[in-house]
Amino acid sequence: MNAFLQDISYGFRVLLKNPAVTLVAVLSIALGVGVNSTVFSWVDAVLLHPLPGVANQNEVVAVKSTTPEGNTIDSSYPDFRDLRDQSTLFSGWIAAKQRPFNLGEQGSSERVWAETVTGNYFDVLGVRPLLGRTFNHDEQDERFGAHRVAVLSERLWHRKYNGDPRIVGQTILINRQPLTVIGVVPAEFRGVMNGLSYDLWLPLTIRPLLTGEGNWLLRRTSRPLQMLARLKPGVTLAQAQSEIDAITERLGKEYPQTNERIGARALTLWDTPDGATSIMRVLLEVLLAVGALVLLIVCANVANLLLARATARRKEFAIRLGLGAGRGRLLRQLLTESFLLAFAGAMAGLLFTVWFTGFIDIFIPPTDLPVGLNPTVNAAVIGWTVVLAFLTTFLCGAAPAVHAAYSNVNETLKAGGRGTSSSAASNRLRGLLVVGEVALAVVALIGAGLFVKSFHNAQQANPGFDPSKVLLAGIDLSTNGYTREQNLGILRRVTASMASLPGVEGVVFSEDVPLGLSGRSWEDFQVPGYVPHTGENMKVWRNLVGPDYFQVLQIPLLDGREFTALDTRENPYVMIVNQTFVRRFLNGGPAVGRIVHAYGRDNTIVGVARDGKYISIDEQPTPY
């Protein structure tokens, strides 16, 4: 212990004798460690611990329904119940659906993002209330509209109600409906959609009461639900998947009209296609590789500095060895000095990380969703930084220390009177380090060039519409309890008012946004004259849009016409399809005038639009 303290004390003195070299080395290491620790804090928040506040996250899996083409989609409530009731390898299943609600009296209400959830939601996730309680056993049944209760987040509790502990038991208005507050959950818990932050949790069974949108929970064709399940101890993901496959196969035979070739896939939380994971996983993997490359370049640079300093101290090392110091003792001393540099650099890098963790928000596309990524410098990040400090000690100090400790004492002492020029071995090692540093720098430059090229290609990719000069805003009238006629009247007035603004060329409403983050929709349909292949699932992605949609987004129409204000439910129902729809279901023949049965009614095709990108920029042509 005394020898170790002596090494540290002597190392400090040596480093302080060369402040310029020490400062350069510390700042270089701070850069390398800071970049890696910052990226690791993002990886920890998005991939390793994507659901803060949830107990034993490694046991929780996302379960996504799958289409015959292998795409993952959300699930229906009847499918959720069947999977929950027929599975034996899970300790619990939950379902959730996000949406905004109006909280408060008319005129003083605010928009609050909420999750409507199954009654066992908090129990399965292991989330304990900060105040009051969560849904009890009686509130976990499936009686629609029976349990008018709400759970608040700690954030909403403080912001809206000043942290008043008397909030439990009080009545609040959600979409003009009175609900009783039963509890408050800690701010750490944000919900089950990675990267989003919710402030209100309501029973899924009162959703129709609050939205007036009809009870789609009873329909297998309605698939809006996010499903999660907790594995029983000792159960592997492969075993769980086998059981899920058996259940979905039975459902396909029992309900062929809705479930034929519809499967389900169990996914780890860091592999789910939902939330921040789907947006940022590839980016974070790239940033980890970039961070490792930066650290290697830094270590090569610092190793060269330490080798140059060790060369200048050759006579000192030779005298110490000549006086009887062991080579291992000298090696330990030099590694201690390297560790002091690495530790100082790592601590400076940790301060860098504290400052830059919030920069993750620059990678999130603009959205009206409640983004809630909150990476922090926690114990995992600090532990990672300590690991990097030891790794940097070895990468920076090993080669110079070994070279100095095992140099030829006699040759060094003989050369002592002729100056302090570097030995041939020292020059070779420095040359190798320089070559390595240059090689890494070239790799970094090539990688940067490829990234810039990829970014340019992504910018030049044609999504099938022109997003330039298009502004996006959201409106949700379902939270106000208006009738359909009132909603339509408001939309018409908003459209007319916005269209009259200077510089506005067109205004249109749509349910979904192409390449947006807010979800996607599909519909069952039949085309008279088209005979589906064996097991073919007749569903197609779709959007509900207003007049002039194709004109505003500059989507070319190859045949037929655009929607107009006359296309209402009082007139014959119409639809526009894309090129791939025509090729697949109409054999590439004339489309305008053909009938497609969807939404329980006949719809006449009035136009054909050019193919575009609807879900992702790299998707293959798909019927729409």
PDB file of all heavy atoms in Angstrom, residues 512-546:
ATOM      1  N   ASP A 512     -53.589  10.365 -41.120  1.00  0.00           N
ATOM      2  CA  ASP A 512     -52.189   9.984 -40.921  1.00  0.00           C
ATOM      3  C   ASP A 512     -51.289  10.887 -41.748  1.00  0.00           C
ATOM      4  O   ASP A 512     -51.720  11.475 -42.746  1.00  0.00           O
ATOM      5  CB  ASP A 512     -51.953   8.520 -41.325  1.00  0.00           C
ATOM      6  CG  ASP A 512     -52.711   7.545 -40.438  1.00  0.00           C
ATOM      7  OD1 ASP A 512     -52.956   7.888 -39.263  1.00  0.00           O
ATOM      8  OD2 ASP A 512     -53.075   6.458 -40.928  1.00  0.00           O
ATOM      9  N   VAL A 513     -50.022  10.961 -41.329  1.00  0.00           N
ATOM     10  CA  VAL A 513     -49.021  11.749 -42.048  1.00  0.00           C
ATOM     11  C   VAL A 513     -48.035  10.790 -42.693  1.00  0.00           C
ATOM     12  O   VAL A 513     -47.495   9.909 -42.008  1.00  0.00           O
ATOM     13  CB  VAL A 513     -48.273  12.703 -41.084  1.00  0.00           C
ATOM     14  CG1 VAL A 513     -47.197  13.479 -41.835  1.00  0.00           C
ATOM     15  CG2 VAL A 513     -49.254  13.648 -40.415  1.00  0.00           C
ATOM     16  N   PRO A 514     -47.791  10.903 -44.008  1.00  0.00           N
ATOM     17  CA  PRO A 514     -46.820   9.994 -44.625  1.00  0.00           C
ATOM     18  C   PRO A 514     -45.445  10.148 -43.989  1.00  0.00           C
ATOM     19  O   PRO A 514     -44.973  11.261 -43.765  1.00  0.00           O
ATOM     20  CB  PRO A 514     -46.815  10.430 -46.096  1.00  0.00           C
ATOM     21  CG  PRO A 514     -47.383  11.817 -46.107  1.00  0.00           C
ATOM     22  CD  PRO A 514     -48.343  11.868 -44.966  1.00  0.00           C
ATOM     23  N   LEU A 515     -44.825   9.014 -43.662  1.00  0.00           N
ATOM     24  CA  LEU A 515     -43.527   8.960 -42.984  1.00  0.00           C
ATOM     25  C   LEU A 515     -43.584   9.626 -41.608  1.00  0.00           C
ATOM     26  O   LEU A 515     -42.560  10.050 -41.074  1.00  0.00           O
ATOM     27  CB  LEU A 515     -42.431   9.608 -43.834  1.00  0.00           C
ATOM     28  CG  LEU A 515     -42.205   8.994 -45.219  1.00  0.00           C
ATOM     29  CD1 LEU A 515     -41.082   9.712 -45.949  1.00  0.00           C
ATOM     30  CD2 LEU A 515     -41.906   7.513 -45.127  1.00  0.00           C
ATOM     31  N   GLY A 516     -44.777   9.736 -41.037  1.00  0.00           N
ATOM     32  CA  GLY A 516     -44.920  10.353 -39.717  1.00  0.00           C
ATOM     33  C   GLY A 516     -44.646   9.374 -38.598  1.00  0.00           C
ATOM     34  O   GLY A 516     -44.444   8.178 -38.816  1.00  0.00           O
ATOM     35  N   LEU A 517     -44.659   9.894 -37.377  1.00  0.00           N
ATOM     36  CA  LEU A 517     -44.364   9.080 -36.201  1.00  0.00           C
ATOM     37  C   LEU A 517     -45.620   8.656 -35.443  1.00  0.00           C
ATOM     38  O   LEU A 517     -45.535   7.923 -34.478  1.00  0.00           O
ATOM     39  CB  LEU A 517     -43.461   9.873 -35.240  1.00  0.00           C
ATOM     40  CG  LEU A 517     -42.119  10.344 -35.795  1.00  0.00           C
ATOM     41  CD1 LEU A 517     -41.368  11.121 -34.724  1.00  0.00           C
ATOM     42  CD2 LEU A 517     -41.290   9.170 -36.273  1.00  0.00           C
ATOM     43  N   SER A 518     -46.771   9.144 -35.855  1.00  0.00           N
ATOM     44  CA  SER A 518     -47.972   8.973 -35.034  1.00  0.00           C
ATOM     45  C   SER A 518     -48.747   7.710 -35.336  1.00  0.00           C
ATOM     46  O   SER A 518     -49.839   7.515 -34.829  1.00  0.00           O
ATOM     47  CB  SER A 518     -48.894  10.189 -35.205  1.00  0.00           C
ATOM     48  OG  SER A 518     -48.232  11.354 -34.789  1.00  0.00           O
ATOM     49  N   GLY A 519     -48.225   6.851 -36.176  1.00  0.00           N
ATOM     50  CA  GLY A 519     -48.917   5.588 -36.397  1.00  0.00           C
ATOM     51  C   GLY A 519     -49.315   5.411 -37.853  1.00  0.00           C
ATOM     52  O   GLY A 519     -49.019   6.219 -38.728  1.00  0.00           O
ATOM     53  N   ARG A 520     -50.033   4.336 -38.098  1.00  0.00           N
ATOM     54  CA  ARG A 520     -50.465   3.987 -39.439  1.00  0.00           C
ATOM     55  C   ARG A 520     -51.787   3.252 -39.334  1.00  0.00           C
ATOM     56  O   ARG A 520     -52.167   2.784 -38.266  1.00  0.00           O
ATOM     57  CB  ARG A 520     -49.410   3.115 -40.112  1.00  0.00           C
ATOM     58  CG  ARG A 520     -49.227   1.781 -39.412  1.00  0.00           C
ATOM     59  CD  ARG A 520     -47.943   1.083 -39.789  1.00  0.00           C
ATOM     60  NE  ARG A 520     -46.806   1.673 -39.120  1.00  0.00           N
ATOM     61  CZ  ARG A 520     -45.597   1.118 -39.092  1.00  0.00           C
ATOM     62  NH1 ARG A 520     -45.377   0.003 -39.726  1.00  0.00           N
ATOM     63  NH2 ARG A 520     -44.610   1.689 -38.459  1.00  0.00           N
ATOM     64  N   SER A 521     -52.492   3.140 -40.451  1.00  0.00           N
ATOM     65  CA  SER A 521     -53.808   2.506 -40.429  1.00  0.00           C
ATOM     66  C   SER A 521     -53.924   1.561 -41.608  1.00  0.00           C
ATOM     67  O   SER A 521     -53.331   1.781 -42.667  1.00  0.00           O
ATOM     68  CB  SER A 521     -54.909   3.566 -40.503  1.00  0.00           C
ATOM     69  OG  SER A 521     -54.741   4.554 -39.504  1.00  0.00           O
ATOM     70  N   TRP A 522     -54.717   0.506 -41.411  1.00  0.00           N
ATOM     71  CA  TRP A 522     -54.987  -0.399 -42.525  1.00  0.00           C
ATOM     72  C   TRP A 522     -56.440  -0.828 -42.481  1.00  0.00           C
ATOM     73  O   TRP A 522     -57.151  -0.586 -41.499  1.00  0.00           O
ATOM     74  CB  TRP A 522     -54.031  -1.576 -42.559  1.00  0.00           C
ATOM     75  CG  TRP A 522     -54.184  -2.601 -41.453  1.00  0.00           C
ATOM     76  CD1 TRP A 522     -54.924  -2.496 -40.327  1.00  0.00           C
ATOM     77  CD2 TRP A 522     -53.574  -3.900 -41.424  1.00  0.00           C
ATOM     78  NE1 TRP A 522     -54.806  -3.628 -39.575  1.00  0.00           N
ATOM     79  CE2 TRP A 522     -53.986  -4.505 -40.215  1.00  0.00           C
ATOM     80  CE3 TRP A 522     -52.728  -4.589 -42.266  1.00  0.00           C
ATOM     81  CZ2 TRP A 522     -53.572  -5.783 -39.854  1.00  0.00           C
ATOM     82  CZ3 TRP A 522     -52.316  -5.865 -41.904  1.00  0.00           C
ATOM     83  CH2 TRP A 522     -52.737  -6.446 -40.706  1.00  0.00           C
ATOM     84  N   GLU A 523     -56.906  -1.448 -43.559  1.00  0.00           N
ATOM     85  CA  GLU A 523     -58.313  -1.784 -43.669  1.00  0.00           C
ATOM     86  C   GLU A 523     -58.485  -3.098 -44.419  1.00  0.00           C
ATOM     87  O   GLU A 523     -57.739  -3.400 -45.367  1.00  0.00           O
ATOM     88  CB  GLU A 523     -59.046  -0.661 -44.420  1.00  0.00           C
ATOM     89  CG  GLU A 523     -60.548  -0.808 -44.421  1.00  0.00           C
ATOM     90  CD  GLU A 523     -61.144  -0.667 -43.025  1.00  0.00           C
ATOM     91  OE1 GLU A 523     -60.550   0.066 -42.210  1.00  0.00           O
ATOM     92  OE2 GLU A 523     -62.189  -1.285 -42.760  1.00  0.00           O
ATOM     93  N   ASP A 524     -59.486  -3.894 -43.985  1.00  0.00           N
ATOM     94  CA  ASP A 524     -59.877  -5.081 -44.738  1.00  0.00           C
ATOM     95  C   ASP A 524     -60.651  -4.642 -45.984  1.00  0.00           C
ATOM     96  O   ASP A 524     -61.427  -3.691 -45.942  1.00  0.00           O
ATOM     97  CB  ASP A 524     -60.788  -5.965 -43.878  1.00  0.00           C
ATOM     98  CG  ASP A 524     -60.059  -6.536 -42.679  1.00  0.00           C
ATOM     99  OD1 ASP A 524     -59.251  -7.454 -42.857  1.00  0.00           O
ATOM    100  OD2 ASP A 524     -60.295  -6.040 -41.559  1.00  0.00           O
ATOM    101  N   PHE A 525     -60.437  -5.341 -47.095  1.00  0.00           N
ATOM    102  CA  PHE A 525     -61.148  -4.965 -48.309  1.00  0.00           C
ATOM    103  C   PHE A 525     -61.281  -6.181 -49.230  1.00  0.00           C
ATOM    104  O   PHE A 525     -60.586  -7.192 -49.064  1.00  0.00           O
ATOM    105  CB  PHE A 525     -60.407  -3.842 -49.042  1.00  0.00           C
ATOM    106  CG  PHE A 525     -59.131  -4.284 -49.696  1.00  0.00           C
ATOM    107  CD1 PHE A 525     -59.081  -4.497 -51.067  1.00  0.00           C
ATOM    108  CD2 PHE A 525     -57.984  -4.516 -48.946  1.00  0.00           C
ATOM    109  CE1 PHE A 525     -57.916  -4.926 -51.672  1.00  0.00           C
ATOM    110  CE2 PHE A 525     -56.820  -4.940 -49.548  1.00  0.00           C
ATOM    111  CZ  PHE A 525     -56.780  -5.149 -50.921  1.00  0.00           C
ATOM    112  N   GLN A 526     -62.171  -6.061 -50.174  1.00  0.00           N
ATOM    113  CA  GLN A 526     -62.358  -7.070 -51.215  1.00  0.00           C
ATOM    114  C   GLN A 526     -62.512  -6.358 -52.550  1.00  0.00           C
ATOM    115  O   GLN A 526     -63.132  -5.302 -52.632  1.00  0.00           O
ATOM    116  CB  GLN A 526     -63.600  -7.942 -50.953  1.00  0.00           C
ATOM    117  CG  GLN A 526     -63.541  -8.785 -49.690  1.00  0.00           C
ATOM    118  CD  GLN A 526     -63.994  -8.008 -48.470  1.00  0.00           C
ATOM    119  OE1 GLN A 526     -64.922  -7.221 -48.549  1.00  0.00           O
ATOM    120  NE2 GLN A 526     -63.328  -8.233 -47.339  1.00  0.00           N
ATOM    121  N   VAL A 527     -61.926  -6.964 -53.591  1.00  0.00           N
ATOM    122  CA  VAL A 527     -62.036  -6.423 -54.944  1.00  0.00           C
ATOM    123  C   VAL A 527     -62.811  -7.428 -55.784  1.00  0.00           C
ATOM    124  O   VAL A 527     -62.333  -8.559 -55.997  1.00  0.00           O
ATOM    125  CB  VAL A 527     -60.648  -6.183 -55.578  1.00  0.00           C
ATOM    126  CG1 VAL A 527     -60.799  -5.632 -56.999  1.00  0.00           C
ATOM    127  CG2 VAL A 527     -59.830  -5.233 -54.717  1.00  0.00           C
ATOM    128  N   PRO A 528     -64.023  -7.091 -56.225  1.00  0.00           N
ATOM    129  CA  PRO A 528     -64.779  -8.023 -57.074  1.00  0.00           C
ATOM    130  C   PRO A 528     -63.960  -8.440 -58.289  1.00  0.00           C
ATOM    131  O   PRO A 528     -63.381  -7.610 -58.994  1.00  0.00           O
ATOM    132  CB  PRO A 528     -66.007  -7.197 -57.484  1.00  0.00           C
ATOM    133  CG  PRO A 528     -66.168  -6.197 -56.370  1.00  0.00           C
ATOM    134  CD  PRO A 528     -64.771  -5.857 -55.935  1.00  0.00           C
ATOM    135  N   GLY A 529     -63.880  -9.738 -58.505  1.00  0.00           N
ATOM    136  CA  GLY A 529     -63.112 -10.261 -59.624  1.00  0.00           C
ATOM    137  C   GLY A 529     -61.714 -10.699 -59.249  1.00  0.00           C
ATOM    138  O   GLY A 529     -61.065 -11.412 -60.024  1.00  0.00           O
ATOM    139  N   TYR A 530     -61.225 -10.283 -58.069  1.00  0.00           N
ATOM    140  CA  TYR A 530     -59.892 -10.706 -57.638  1.00  0.00           C
ATOM    141  C   TYR A 530     -60.041 -11.881 -56.674  1.00  0.00           C
ATOM    142  O   TYR A 530     -60.758 -11.789 -55.664  1.00  0.00           O
ATOM    143  CB  TYR A 530     -59.145  -9.562 -56.949  1.00  0.00           C
ATOM    144  CG  TYR A 530     -57.773  -9.970 -56.422  1.00  0.00           C
ATOM    145  CD1 TYR A 530     -56.691 -10.041 -57.280  1.00  0.00           C
ATOM    146  CD2 TYR A 530     -57.591 -10.311 -55.080  1.00  0.00           C
ATOM    147  CE1 TYR A 530     -55.434 -10.430 -56.814  1.00  0.00           C
ATOM    148  CE2 TYR A 530     -56.340 -10.699 -54.606  1.00  0.00           C
ATOM    149  CZ  TYR A 530     -55.275 -10.756 -55.480  1.00  0.00           C
ATOM    150  OH  TYR A 530     -54.049 -11.145 -55.021  1.00  0.00           O
ATOM    151  N   VAL A 531     -59.374 -12.975 -56.991  1.00  0.00           N
ATOM    152  CA  VAL A 531     -59.435 -14.166 -56.146  1.00  0.00           C
ATOM    153  C   VAL A 531     -58.165 -14.223 -55.301  1.00  0.00           C
ATOM    154  O   VAL A 531     -57.059 -14.383 -55.846  1.00  0.00           O
ATOM    155  CB  VAL A 531     -59.555 -15.442 -56.990  1.00  0.00           C
ATOM    156  CG1 VAL A 531     -59.612 -16.665 -56.075  1.00  0.00           C
ATOM    157  CG2 VAL A 531     -60.781 -15.374 -57.884  1.00  0.00           C
ATOM    158  N   PRO A 532     -58.266 -14.050 -53.983  1.00  0.00           N
ATOM    159  CA  PRO A 532     -57.064 -14.071 -53.130  1.00  0.00           C
ATOM    160  C   PRO A 532     -56.367 -15.416 -53.198  1.00  0.00           C
ATOM    161  O   PRO A 532     -56.993 -16.464 -53.392  1.00  0.00           O
ATOM    162  CB  PRO A 532     -57.629 -13.816 -51.722  1.00  0.00           C
ATOM    163  CG  PRO A 532     -58.957 -13.172 -51.950  1.00  0.00           C
ATOM    164  CD  PRO A 532     -59.485 -13.780 -53.213  1.00  0.00           C
ATOM    165  N   HIS A 533     -55.050 -15.397 -53.078  1.00  0.00           N
ATOM    166  CA  HIS A 533     -54.285 -16.621 -53.001  1.00  0.00           C
ATOM    167  C   HIS A 533     -54.584 -17.339 -51.687  1.00  0.00           C
ATOM    168  O   HIS A 533     -55.125 -16.750 -50.743  1.00  0.00           O
ATOM    169  CB  HIS A 533     -52.785 -16.317 -53.092  1.00  0.00           C
ATOM    170  CG  HIS A 533     -52.415 -15.549 -54.325  1.00  0.00           C
ATOM    171  ND1 HIS A 533     -52.587 -16.041 -55.589  1.00  0.00           N
ATOM    172  CD2 HIS A 533     -51.893 -14.299 -54.459  1.00  0.00           C
ATOM    173  CE1 HIS A 533     -52.173 -15.147 -56.469  1.00  0.00           C
ATOM    174  NE2 HIS A 533     -51.755 -14.077 -55.806  1.00  0.00           N
ATOM    175  N   THR A 534     -54.247 -18.592 -51.608  1.00  0.00           N
ATOM    176  CA  THR A 534     -54.485 -19.364 -50.392  1.00  0.00           C
ATOM    177  C   THR A 534     -53.774 -18.709 -49.206  1.00  0.00           C
ATOM    178  O   THR A 534     -52.564 -18.496 -49.240  1.00  0.00           O
ATOM    179  CB  THR A 534     -53.975 -20.803 -50.559  1.00  0.00           C
ATOM    180  OG1 THR A 534     -54.628 -21.399 -51.676  1.00  0.00           O
ATOM    181  CG2 THR A 534     -54.258 -21.617 -49.292  1.00  0.00           C
ATOM    182  N   GLY A 535     -54.548 -18.365 -48.192  1.00  0.00           N
ATOM    183  CA  GLY A 535     -53.969 -17.757 -47.003  1.00  0.00           C
ATOM    184  C   GLY A 535     -53.643 -16.286 -47.146  1.00  0.00           C
ATOM    185  O   GLY A 535     -53.100 -15.694 -46.208  1.00  0.00           O
ATOM    186  N   GLU A 536     -53.957 -15.657 -48.289  1.00  0.00           N
ATOM    187  CA  GLU A 536     -53.640 -14.237 -48.472  1.00  0.00           C
ATOM    188  C   GLU A 536     -54.534 -13.384 -47.575  1.00  0.00           C
ATOM    189  O   GLU A 536     -55.757 -13.551 -47.555  1.00  0.00           O
ATOM    190  CB  GLU A 536     -53.832 -13.821 -49.928  1.00  0.00           C
ATOM    191  CG  GLU A 536     -53.484 -12.363 -50.176  1.00  0.00           C
ATOM    192  CD  GLU A 536     -53.607 -11.972 -51.641  1.00  0.00           C
ATOM    193  OE1 GLU A 536     -54.055 -12.828 -52.436  1.00  0.00           O
ATOM    194  OE2 GLU A 536     -53.263 -10.829 -51.980  1.00  0.00           O
ATOM    195  N   ASN A 537     -53.924 -12.501 -46.822  1.00  0.00           N
ATOM    196  CA  ASN A 537     -54.677 -11.641 -45.921  1.00  0.00           C
ATOM    197  C   ASN A 537     -55.008 -10.347 -46.648  1.00  0.00           C
ATOM    198  O   ASN A 537     -54.115  -9.578 -47.014  1.00  0.00           O
ATOM    199  CB  ASN A 537     -53.859 -11.353 -44.660  1.00  0.00           C
ATOM    200  CG  ASN A 537     -54.711 -10.758 -43.555  1.00  0.00           C
ATOM    201  OD1 ASN A 537     -54.985  -9.580 -43.574  1.00  0.00           O
ATOM    202  ND2 ASN A 537     -55.131 -11.583 -42.613  1.00  0.00           N
ATOM    203  N   MET A 538     -56.274 -10.096 -46.860  1.00  0.00           N
ATOM    204  CA  MET A 538     -56.693  -8.957 -47.669  1.00  0.00           C
ATOM    205  C   MET A 538     -56.811  -7.703 -46.796  1.00  0.00           C
ATOM    206  O   MET A 538     -57.895  -7.279 -46.393  1.00  0.00           O
ATOM    207  CB  MET A 538     -58.013  -9.275 -48.362  1.00  0.00           C
ATOM    208  CG  MET A 538     -57.921 -10.404 -49.366  1.00  0.00           C
ATOM    209  SD  MET A 538     -56.903  -9.950 -50.791  1.00  0.00           S
ATOM    210  CE  MET A 538     -57.996  -8.796 -51.611  1.00  0.00           C
ATOM    211  N   LYS A 539     -55.673  -7.108 -46.520  1.00  0.00           N
ATOM    212  CA  LYS A 539     -55.618  -5.845 -45.790  1.00  0.00           C
ATOM    213  C   LYS A 539     -54.693  -4.910 -46.550  1.00  0.00           C
ATOM    214  O   LYS A 539     -53.741  -5.347 -47.213  1.00  0.00           O
ATOM    215  CB  LYS A 539     -55.111  -6.046 -44.365  1.00  0.00           C
ATOM    216  CG  LYS A 539     -56.053  -6.848 -43.471  1.00  0.00           C
ATOM    217  CD  LYS A 539     -55.486  -6.971 -42.069  1.00  0.00           C
ATOM    218  CE  LYS A 539     -56.407  -7.808 -41.186  1.00  0.00           C
ATOM    219  NZ  LYS A 539     -57.686  -7.136 -40.917  1.00  0.00           N
ATOM    220  N   VAL A 540     -54.953  -3.641 -46.460  1.00  0.00           N
ATOM    221  CA  VAL A 540     -54.131  -2.675 -47.175  1.00  0.00           C
ATOM    222  C   VAL A 540     -53.940  -1.442 -46.296  1.00  0.00           C
ATOM    223  O   VAL A 540     -54.838  -1.037 -45.557  1.00  0.00           O
ATOM    224  CB  VAL A 540     -54.771  -2.294 -48.536  1.00  0.00           C
ATOM    225  CG1 VAL A 540     -56.036  -1.479 -48.350  1.00  0.00           C
ATOM    226  CG2 VAL A 540     -53.779  -1.548 -49.412  1.00  0.00           C
ATOM    227  N   TRP A 541     -52.732  -0.856 -46.343  1.00  0.00           N
ATOM    228  CA  TRP A 541     -52.511   0.400 -45.633  1.00  0.00           C
ATOM    229  C   TRP A 541     -53.368   1.484 -46.276  1.00  0.00           C
ATOM    230  O   TRP A 541     -53.548   1.521 -47.492  1.00  0.00           O
ATOM    231  CB  TRP A 541     -51.039   0.808 -45.723  1.00  0.00           C
ATOM    232  CG  TRP A 541     -50.072  -0.175 -45.129  1.00  0.00           C
ATOM    233  CD1 TRP A 541     -49.128  -0.902 -45.795  1.00  0.00           C
ATOM    234  CD2 TRP A 541     -49.948  -0.537 -43.755  1.00  0.00           C
ATOM    235  NE1 TRP A 541     -48.420  -1.696 -44.924  1.00  0.00           N
ATOM    236  CE2 TRP A 541     -48.910  -1.499 -43.659  1.00  0.00           C
ATOM    237  CE3 TRP A 541     -50.611  -0.159 -42.584  1.00  0.00           C
ATOM    238  CZ2 TRP A 541     -48.524  -2.071 -42.457  1.00  0.00           C
ATOM    239  CZ3 TRP A 541     -50.231  -0.731 -41.389  1.00  0.00           C
ATOM    240  CH2 TRP A 541     -49.203  -1.673 -41.322  1.00  0.00           C
ATOM    241  N   ARG A 542     -53.879   2.406 -45.445  1.00  0.00           N
ATOM    242  CA  ARG A 542     -54.768   3.432 -45.990  1.00  0.00           C
ATOM    243  C   ARG A 542     -54.659   4.717 -45.191  1.00  0.00           C
ATOM    244  O   ARG A 542     -54.111   4.757 -44.091  1.00  0.00           O
ATOM    245  CB  ARG A 542     -56.199   2.933 -46.019  1.00  0.00           C
ATOM    246  CG  ARG A 542     -56.770   2.495 -44.646  1.00  0.00           C
ATOM    247  CD  ARG A 542     -57.355   3.637 -43.888  1.00  0.00           C
ATOM    248  NE  ARG A 542     -58.016   3.225 -42.655  1.00  0.00           N
ATOM    249  CZ  ARG A 542     -58.216   4.033 -41.622  1.00  0.00           C
ATOM    250  NH1 ARG A 542     -57.767   5.271 -41.654  1.00  0.00           N
ATOM    251  NH2 ARG A 542     -58.833   3.611 -40.536  1.00  0.00           N
ATOM    252  N   ASN A 543     -55.216   5.780 -45.739  1.00  0.00           N
ATOM    253  CA  ASN A 543     -55.288   7.080 -45.073  1.00  0.00           C
ATOM    254  C   ASN A 543     -56.639   7.699 -45.390  1.00  0.00           C
ATOM    255  O   ASN A 543     -57.200   7.444 -46.464  1.00  0.00           O
ATOM    256  CB  ASN A 543     -54.152   7.987 -45.554  1.00  0.00           C
ATOM    257  CG  ASN A 543     -53.911   9.168 -44.618  1.00  0.00           C
ATOM    258  OD1 ASN A 543     -54.600   9.319 -43.614  1.00  0.00           O
ATOM    259  ND2 ASN A 543     -52.951  10.003 -44.960  1.00  0.00           N
ATOM    260  N   LEU A 544     -57.153   8.479 -44.482  1.00  0.00           N
ATOM    261  CA  LEU A 544     -58.377   9.252 -44.699  1.00  0.00           C
ATOM    262  C   LEU A 544     -57.962  10.711 -44.875  1.00  0.00           C
ATOM    263  O   LEU A 544     -57.360  11.298 -43.975  1.00  0.00           O
ATOM    264  CB  LEU A 544     -59.332   9.114 -43.518  1.00  0.00           C
ATOM    265  CG  LEU A 544     -59.762   7.683 -43.168  1.00  0.00           C
ATOM    266  CD1 LEU A 544     -60.676   7.679 -41.948  1.00  0.00           C
ATOM    267  CD2 LEU A 544     -60.472   7.027 -44.349  1.00  0.00           C
ATOM    268  N   VAL A 545     -58.282  11.287 -46.042  1.00  0.00           N
ATOM    269  CA  VAL A 545     -57.789  12.628 -46.358  1.00  0.00           C
ATOM    270  C   VAL A 545     -58.920  13.507 -46.856  1.00  0.00           C
ATOM    271  O   VAL A 545     -59.972  13.024 -47.285  1.00  0.00           O
ATOM    272  CB  VAL A 545     -56.674  12.564 -47.425  1.00  0.00           C
ATOM    273  CG1 VAL A 545     -55.544  11.638 -46.968  1.00  0.00           C
ATOM    274  CG2 VAL A 545     -57.212  12.093 -48.769  1.00  0.00           C
ATOM    275  N   GLY A 546     -58.665  14.815 -46.826  1.00  0.00           N
ATOM    276  CA  GLY A 546     -59.641  15.783 -47.298  1.00  0.00           C
ATOM    277  C   GLY A 546     -59.397  16.206 -48.732  1.00  0.00           C
ATOM    278  O   GLY A 546     -58.440  15.775 -49.381  1.00  0.00           O
TER     279      GLY A 546
END
